[in-house]
């Protein structure tokens, strides 16, 4: 299936509170393995919990794990938004 | 003796388990192939002595962080008879991968599912027999915090070690990229999670602690509280240590050395004993610092502080944890430098350690308060002091901006926010105790050697008045005069800078000796000797150059890299010189 067809967007663009299925991770092997270790894996559901008031850091949740990451790292994760 | 290694992700209660298993006898030590000290203890398991090694908490075994490398290097260089793999029962969905990775090395292991009490109260159900069968390892549910399941854990570890036939060290290879998917599949097959896991205590607390508007003010409030706790509790303890040392000097040492020739007595009293005193004066704050920082870390708040303050530091190539340590450095740089160990990535640690010494610590504050009071009007004094704090932050950020490329180029920020938990007191106190003994072991010799060196410079030749122009220090100050006179710092004051290299606490005492004025008349003597421009130039220099010998000792102890330590000394010295020069020349031109 073409990525465009399922409307892939970056985790950074996922609206606050919205949930999405992860389809893409960072290419860098080291960063990718850290993402996986925190639960950010293909096929898992991620939710944007909050964004920091100033700046670009956001908090997301996968399963029972909360993760803080910067927009730069979040932009490398491609998700398919789930209907609310 | 068989050897058992403890492996687990961060925040899984690994230290708590280690403490439960091993009791009080743990020590840090060196290991072949590894550049950091690891905690180890010998325990009796099933009638045999077993050496238990606590490996750093790691997210995976393939690449990335420095802690991961340490674990790989340890396993590659040290034979291990078995692994205890510790996981958090509430986050098994992503933690089983470590068990699969460990299994792929061919090492025997036991999977310890910690925090099973928490999982139970969240309604998480684990099909133990299915998990054991599919994983091919014994699995034990436990709660290291309250001791539940510990007998079963000991039992499983004992029988694993008993059957273990491992020969030599293993070579941890690159992990199978599908392992994460396999681990997740395994979890889906064996663990049931209720659909509504959302309103946990952590989620509710985070609504307040990470609030869009209140989060940051709360952070500063908490930091202020920790800061006050460490340093207001620390001050009387330091006084106690100081008066104990004074007593020892006056009542024991001085009568003992009267029979010795003058220079020898002076060496013992003003060299060796003062060196020991310098080391001792740091122990209370290191102890308290690590007690309170472990509380903050163990509660889960530290990574939240990093999240809240990330935007302040991101530009400078640092993360929020650097900011926490920088703030704590305003009390004392030494424990703050040691505290950077909570950051996994080495580049980030080294950069943070480079900026911490610019934090205006309480020892420097003492010097500044004195000079500001002596030389500035009561109306100007607070502003002068405030400007020094601005320079403190400014030089730190300048340094970070300049060095970030070399040290933390493209450091990603991806941080777990662990669930809030009550820290385990035993773990907290053990940690603080280990930090104190680590400091004693690694820094004592260096600090005493430095104090003795400065003692020699300021006392030799022995027939000269100490710290006078006739001593080596006086000769040195003549050589250095071309360097210091453009800053408005005269020869006598440059000798106090030499003392200040040992510790800023002694600067005022040194001034009193040099101006032979006694503490009471010092203010008058100093204000007679220099104008406000000279005083401010001197203060800028004192603010920016090496805070003290102990910070250098700790930088070396933590970085284990003389090149880095040299840069960490030379760069602030250069910056101090340039700033004082620019200030003195410009100010003299306009107001001199």
């Amino acid at each position: 299936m073409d990525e465009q067809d399922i409307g892939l967007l970056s985790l950074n663009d996922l609206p606050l509170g919205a949930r999405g299925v992860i389809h893409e991770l960072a290419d860098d092997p080291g960063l990718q393995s850290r993402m996986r270790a925190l639960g950010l894996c293909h096929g898992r559901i991620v939710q944007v919990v909050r964004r920091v008031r100033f700046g670009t850091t956001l908090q997301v949740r996968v399963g029972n794990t909360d993760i803080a990451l910067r927009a730069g790292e979040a932009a490398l994760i491609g998700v398919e938004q789930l209907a609310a | 003796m068989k050897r058992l290694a403890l492996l687990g992700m961060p925040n899984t209660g690994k230290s708590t388990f280690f403490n439960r298993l091993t009791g009080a006898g743990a020590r840090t030590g060196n290991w072949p192939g590894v550049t950091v000290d690891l905690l180890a203890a010998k325990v009796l398991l099933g009638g045999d002595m077993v050496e238990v090694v606590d490996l750093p908490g790691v997210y995976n075994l393939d690449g990335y962080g420095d802690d991961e490398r340490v674990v790989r290097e340890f396993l590659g260089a040290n034979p291990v008879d078995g692994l205890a793999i510790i996981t958090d029962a509430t986050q098994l969905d992503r933690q089983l991968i470590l068990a699969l990775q460990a299994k792929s090395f061919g090492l025997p292991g036991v999977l310890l599912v910690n925090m099973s009490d928490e999982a139970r109260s969240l309604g998480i159900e684990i099909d133990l027999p299915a998990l054991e069968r599919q994983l091919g390892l014994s699995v034990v549910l436990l709660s290291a915090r309250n001791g539940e399941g510990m007998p079963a854990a000991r039992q499983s570890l004992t029988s694993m070690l008993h059957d273990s036939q491992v020969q030599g060290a293993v070579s941890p290879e690159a992990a199978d990229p599908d392992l994460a998917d396999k681990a997740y599949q395994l979890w889906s097959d064996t663990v049931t999670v209720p659909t509504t896991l959302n309103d946990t205590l952590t989620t509710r607390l985070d609504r307040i602690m990470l609030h869009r508007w209140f989060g940051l003010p709360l952070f500063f409030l908490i930091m202020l509280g920790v800061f006050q706790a460490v340093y207001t509790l620390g001050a009387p303890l330091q006084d106690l240590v100081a008066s104990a040392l004074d007593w020892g000097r006056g009542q024991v040492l001085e009568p003992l050395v009267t029979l010795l020739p003058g220079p020898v007595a002076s060496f013992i009293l003003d060299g060796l004993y003062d060196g020991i005193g310098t080391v001792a004066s740091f122990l209370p704050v290191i102890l308290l610092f690590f007690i309170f920082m472990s509380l903050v870390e163990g509660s889960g708040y530290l990574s939240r502080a990093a999240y809240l303050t990330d935007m302040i530091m991101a530009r400078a190539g640092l993360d929020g944890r650097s900011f926490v340590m920088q703030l704590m450095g305003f009390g004392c740089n030494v424990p703050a430098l040691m505290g950077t160990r909570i950051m996994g990535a080495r580049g980030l640690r080294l950069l943070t350690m480079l900026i911490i010494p610019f934090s205006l610590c309480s020892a420097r504050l003492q010097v500044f308060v004195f000079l500001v009071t002596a030389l500035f009007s009561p109306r100007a004094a607070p502003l002068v002091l405030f400007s020094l704090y601005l320079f403190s932050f400014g030089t730190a950020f300048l340094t970070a901006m300049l060095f970030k490329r070399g040290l933390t180029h493209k450091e990603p920020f991806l941080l777990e926010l662990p669930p809030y938990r009550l820290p385990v007191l035993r773990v907290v106190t053990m940690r603080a105790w280990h930090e104190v003994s680590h400091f004693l072991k690694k820094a004592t010799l260096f600090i005493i050697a430095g104090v003795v060196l400065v003692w020699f410079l300021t006392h030799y030749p022995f027939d000269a008045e100490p710290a006078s122009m006739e001593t080596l220090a006086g000769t040195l100050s003549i050589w250095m005069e071309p360097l210091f006179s453009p800053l408005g710092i005269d020869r006598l004051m440059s000798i106090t800078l030499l003392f200040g290299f040992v510790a800023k606490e002694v600067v005022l005492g040194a001034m009193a000796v040099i101006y032979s004025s006694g503490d009471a008349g010092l203010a008058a003597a100093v204000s007679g000797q220099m104008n406000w421009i000279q005083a401010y130039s001197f203060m800028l220099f004192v603010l920016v150059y090496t805070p003290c010998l102990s910070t250098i000792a700790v930088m070396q102890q933590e970085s284990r890299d003389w090149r880095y330590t040299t840069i960490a000394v030379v760069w602030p010295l250069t910056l101090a010189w340039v700033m004082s020069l620019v200030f003195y020349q410009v100010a003299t031109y306009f107001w001199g």
Side-chain angles (χ1 to χ4, degrees):
Chain A
M1 183 165 41
D2 187 9
E3 281 169 6
Q4 297 306 314
D5 289 344
I6 55 170
L8 220 53
L9 57 134
S10 94
L11 177 57
N12 194 34
D13 296 328
L14 201 62
L16 202 66
R19 293 157 16 110
V21 181
I22 298 177
H23 284 276
E24 269 183 3
L25 292 177
D27 289 332
D28 176 68
L31 186 53
Q32 192 181 95
S33 87
R34 171 63 61 86
M35 286 177 171
R36 285 168 188 268
L38 287 170
L40 296 163
C41 303
H42 291 273
R44 299 214 55 188
I45 294 171
V46 60
Q47 182 183 20
V48 178
V49 179
R50 60 171 59 83
R51 288 169 194 279
V52 78
R53 182 86 191 90
F54 306 98
T56 61
T57 323
L58 60 154
Q59 180 191 351
V60 301
R61 178 172 300 154
V62 184
N64 192 33
T65 304
D66 284 312
I67 302 156
L69 73 173
R70 286 186 192 140
E73 278 78 37
L76 303 174
I77 299 173
V79 296
E80 175 199 354
Q81 187 172 346
L82 292 175
Chain B
M1 187 167 42
K2 299 243 172 174
R3 185 182 286 147
L4 172 74
L6 253 53
L7 184 69
M9 291 196 183
N11 311 305
T12 50
K14 196 165 59 64
S15 306
T16 313
F17 176 77
F18 179 79
N19 257 310
R20 277 265 174 211
L21 187 67
T22 63
R27 289 167 180 279
T28 53
N30 289 312
W31 296 87
V34 190
T35 51
V36 296
D37 289 337
L38 298 175
L39 209 55
K42 293 182 179 65
V43 289
L44 206 58
L45 275 181
D48 292 321
M49 276 306 243
V50 174
E51 183 175 39
V52 185
V53 185
D54 189 18
L55 297 175
V58 290
Y59 285 110
N60 48 36
L61 291 165
D62 47 332
Y64 220 63
D66 296 295
D67 286 341
E68 276 90 346
R69 212 187 55 232
V70 167
V71 170
R72 269 203 317 277
E73 286 171 350
F74 176 85
L75 292 175
N78 299 275
V80 165
D81 299 283
L83 290 171
I85 304 145
I86 303 173
T87 51
D88 175 347
T90 67
Q91 299 182 340
L92 275 180
D93 54 335
R94 63 180 179 83
Q95 297 197 352
L96 282 178
I97 185 169
L98 211 53
L100 292 181
Q101 283 185 336
K103 230 189 119 198
S104 70
F105 301 158
L107 281 176
V110 170
L111 181 71
L112 301 170
V113 181
N114 195 11
M115 294 156 183
S116 55
D117 51 340
E118 263 182 65
R120 212 165 36 234
S121 67
L122 287 173
I124 296 172
E125 283 168 34
I126 299 165
D127 184 348
L128 207 60
L131 186 58
E132 283 194 323
R133 200 175 50 244
Q134 293 198 33
L135 195 60
L137 298 176
S138 343
V139 182
V140 181
L141 295 183
L142 78 158
S143 166
R145 170 185 300 274
N146 57 31
E148 188 188 310
M150 281 306 287
R154 278 172 203 277
Q155 184 65 49
S156 276
L157 291 172
T158 307
S159 55
M160 170 193 69
L161 289 171
H162 186 263
D163 301 338
S164 170
Q165 300 287 334
V166 180
Q167 309 283 330
V170 295
S171 54
E173 294 142 34
D176 171 5
D178 297 332
L179 229 45
D181 295 333
K182 284 184 192 156
Y184 187 58
Q185 191 57 46
L186 180 59
W187 173 80
S188 325
D189 292 348
T190 53
V191 181
T192 330
V193 179
T195 39
T196 50
L197 236 185
N198 265 328
D199 217 35
T200 58
L201 176 68
T202 295
T203 312
R204 274 176 285 152
L205 268 175
D206 270 344
R207 264 179 225 138
I208 305 162
M209 305 304 269
L210 301 182
H211 188 274
R212 277 169 75 79
W213 292 109
F214 306 134
L216 215 48
L218 261 174
F219 161 78
F220 282 107
L221 213 65
I222 290 168
M223 280 301 116
L224 188 70
V226 172
F227 192 89
Q228 287 295 337
V230 173
Y231 299 110
T232 45
L233 287 178
L237 283 179
Q238 277 182 307
D239 290 346
L240 207 67
V241 171
S243 45
L245 285 164
D246 272 350
W247 184 87
R249 185 192 178 101
Q251 301 298 312
V252 182
L253 216 49
E254 275 173 6
L256 274 179
V257 298
T258 44
L259 298 173
L260 297 170
V264 180
S266 167
F267 167 73
I268 292 174
L269 284 175
D270 302 321
L272 278 184
Y273 196 72
D274 274 2
I276 294 166
T278 308
V279 174
S281 69
F282 284 102
L283 301 184
V285 285
I286 292 176
L287 190 73
L288 285 168
F289 177 88
F290 279 100
I291 287 177
F292 282 96
M293 282 321 281
S294 310
L295 287 176
V296 173
E297 196 190 2
S299 70
Y301 186 69
L302 190 69
S303 37
R304 281 158 176 93
Y307 163 78
L308 285 168
T309 57
D310 187 55
M311 73 289 174
I312 305 174
M313 305 304 275
R315 243 171 242 283
L318 296 162
D319 86 9
R321 287 168 296 180
S322 320
F323 189 56
V324 173
M325 290 307 143
Q326 189 192 4
L327 287 184
M328 296 310 291
F330 280 90
C332 176
N333 295 174
V334 169
L337 286 168
M338 295 170 71
T340 58
R341 223 172 297 148
I342 53 172
M343 292 179 262
R346 182 171 164 88
L348 191 63
R349 277 196 65 197
L350 292 184
L351 188 61
T352 308
M353 278 163 51
L354 212 53
I355 68 157
I356 286 172
F358 294 106
S359 291
L360 197 166
C361 66
S362 57
R364 272 171 277 184
L365 185 62
Q366 219 181 335
V367 180
F368 298 153
V369 167
F370 172 79
L371 285 176
V372 166
T373 319
L375 283 139
F376 292 87
S377 71
R379 223 160 49 102
L383 289 176
V384 173
L385 214 49
F386 182 67
S387 73
L388 289 169
Y389 277 103
L390 289 184
F391 274 116
S392 168
F393 273 106
T395 46
F397 279 94
L398 175 72
T399 301
M401 296 302 277
L402 284 175
F403 287 89
K404 72 171 174 184
R405 240 166 237 296
L407 288 172
T408 63
H409 190 57
K410 268 177 57 187
E411 197 77 62
F413 181 80
L414 201 66
L415 202 63
E416 181 192 352
L417 302 175
Y420 288 107
R421 286 180 176 129
L422 275 178
V424 179
L425 200 64
R426 243 187 89 73
V427 174
V428 168
T429 49
M430 286 297 273
R431 166 88 190 273
W433 173 245
H434 284 303
E435 294 294 347
V436 168
S437 61
H438 187 69
F439 174 77
L440 277 176
K441 216 159 57 177
K442 300 282 156 139
T444 303
L445 207 62
F446 183 88
I447 294 171
I448 291 177
V451 173
V452 167
L453 177 70
V454 173
W455 166 84
F456 185 74
L457 287 174
T458 49
H459 285 72
Y460 189 83
F462 297 120
D463 51 358
E465 189 73 18
S468 68
M469 277 302 144
E470 287 72 45
T471 60
L472 282 182
T475 316
L476 202 60
S477 78
I478 295 171
W479 293 346
M480 294 191 308
E481 199 177 8
L483 272 178
F484 280 111
S485 68
L487 317 186
I489 296 171
D490 66 19
R491 271 195 242 159
L492 288 175
M493 290 305 271
S494 72
I495 295 180
T496 66
L497 290 178
L498 199 61
F499 279 103
F501 192 71
V502 171
K504 295 294 169 288
E505 286 92 341
V506 301
V507 166
L508 291 180
M511 278 187 202
V513 171
I514 289 167
Y515 290 117
S516 35
S517 61
D519 286 349
L522 187 58
V526 168
S527 61
Q529 290 291 326
M530 53 177 157
N531 61 28
W532 72 269
I533 300 176
Q534 285 171 306
Y536 197 82
S537 170
F538 179 79
M539 288 194 289
L540 273 181
F541 199 93
V542 169
L543 172 67
V544 178
Y545 90 122
T546 312
C548 60
L549 261 174
S550 308
T551 55
I552 303 175
V554 171
M555 295 239 216
Q556 174 57 25
Q557 158 201 321
E558 298 296 316
S559 70
R560 300 195 183 200
D561 180 352
W562 279 109
R563 235 183 27 190
Y564 170 83
T565 311
T566 310
I567 293 172
V569 174
V570 172
W571 159 247
L573 259 178
T574 317
L575 184 63
W577 189 81
V578 172
M579 283 176 57
S580 291
L581 176 77
V582 170
F583 170 80
Y584 183 73
Q585 294 301 333
V586 172
T588 311
Y589 180 81
F590 284 108
W591 299 290

